[in-house]
Amino acid sequence: MAQTRQNQAIYHIGTSGWTYDDWKGRFYPEGLARSRWFEYYASQFSTVEVNATFYRAFKDDTYLGWKNKAPKDFRYVLKAPRTITHQKLLVDVEEDIQNFIRSGRLLNDLLGLILLQLAPDTPYDLNLFKKALLAFPDPSIVAVEFRDPEWISTETETLLRDLGVTFCNADSPAQKLTQVLTSKRAYLRMHGRRKWYSDFYNDDELAEIADIARDLARRGASEVYVFFNNDYFANACANAKSLMKILGG
């Protein structure tokens, strides 16, 4: 599935994960074997956000399998392990980050970004945050989602710009969608506006999201990632496909 191009930017539009049982019959054809789900997914979308890497470690063979199954223009975004963000709260995580990146690099050019989602109770400490970002061999491969409004500050944005790190603009019942741009990549993460993970974005809301994506491209983003995390009932699939149509894919 080729990426959507417009305004000289590439739009990577997909969902947060692909192995949901309730997608069978709603997104995946009834008779399609589970072993072929990813093949079907990659025929519809050009990217996926892998949330599973947040919950557990995977063997090298799994990463190599992902690489071999995907088209050459496909992009994976890997969510950093919760050990780093939610258990250690960024303290002494350099070795954890390096181990995770070693695995991610097995994807070669198919690795788009690493999503670092800070836990809501992460203390506001820019020095600690900067130390964690610099533990990545290339901080510009990182996108950061903040769950505590205290972190969304001018100082934080300046640090991200200085390091070339991408700001994740999240939409959820707890957070209004923003359009912050701190690097050559933009990131929109749609959790559901009224209900976490099970909401459905209507036509007007999708038009708003498309306008924000276009604006980010006009302001200099060469790549715009948009992921729908409202995965219940395959809402994410329907919303992602609709957005692709709006943006010309």
Side-chain angles (χ1 to χ4, degrees), residues 53 63 78-81 96-104 114:
T53 50
Y63 286 95
L78 306 178
K79 189 173 180 182
D96 299 280
I97 288 172
Q98 289 159 14
N99 288 337
F100 182 59
I101 285 295
R102 186 203 66 79
S103 297
I114 301 294

Side-chain angles (χ1 to χ4, degrees), residues 9-82:
I10 298 174
Y11 294 104
H12 305 280
I13 301 169
T15 67
S16 300
W18 74 89
T19 56
Y20 300 106
D21 290 337
D22 66 345
W23 287 15
K24 184 176 181 180
R26 292 187 172 97
F27 174 65
Y28 295 119
E30 281 285 357
L32 187 68
R34 191 182 184 94
S35 61
R36 295 188 59 197
W37 280 10
F38 180 79
E39 177 187 348
Y40 183 85
Y41 178 94
S43 74
Q44 305 295 307
F45 302 114
S46 64
T47 188
V48 71
E49 187 185 79
V50 185
N51 277 335
T53 50
F54 175 77
Y55 296 102
R56 64 188 181 93
F58 289 87
K59 295 180 179 179
D60 289 355
D61 286 349
T62 299
Y63 286 95
L64 293 173
W66 290 342
K67 185 187 76 167
N68 293 333
K69 288 179 181 178
K72 64 180 181 179
D73 60 351
F74 194 83
R75 293 294 179 268
Y76 289 96
V77 172
L78 306 178
K79 189 173 180 182
R82 58 183 171 179

Side-chain angles (χ1 to χ4, degrees), residues 82-97:
R82 58 183 171 179
T83 305
I84 295 168
T85 55
H86 287 58
Q87 294 174 2
K88 294 186 176 181
L89 300 177
L90 303 182
V91 177
D92 297 328
V93 293
E94 289 77 11
E95 185 175 351
D96 299 280
I97 288 172

Side-chain angles (χ1 to χ4, degrees), residues 93-129:
V93 293
E94 289 77 11
E95 185 175 351
D96 299 280
I97 288 172
Q98 289 159 14
N99 288 337
F100 182 59
I101 285 295
R102 186 203 66 79
S103 297
R105 280 179 163 173
L106 295 173
L107 296 172
N108 293 340
D109 293 341
L110 300 187
L111 177 61
L113 286 168
I114 301 294
L115 175 64
L116 193 71
Q117 182 196 81
L118 299 197
D121 56 345
T122 306
Y124 183 77
D125 185 336
L126 284 180
N127 289 327
L128 180 65
F129 181 45

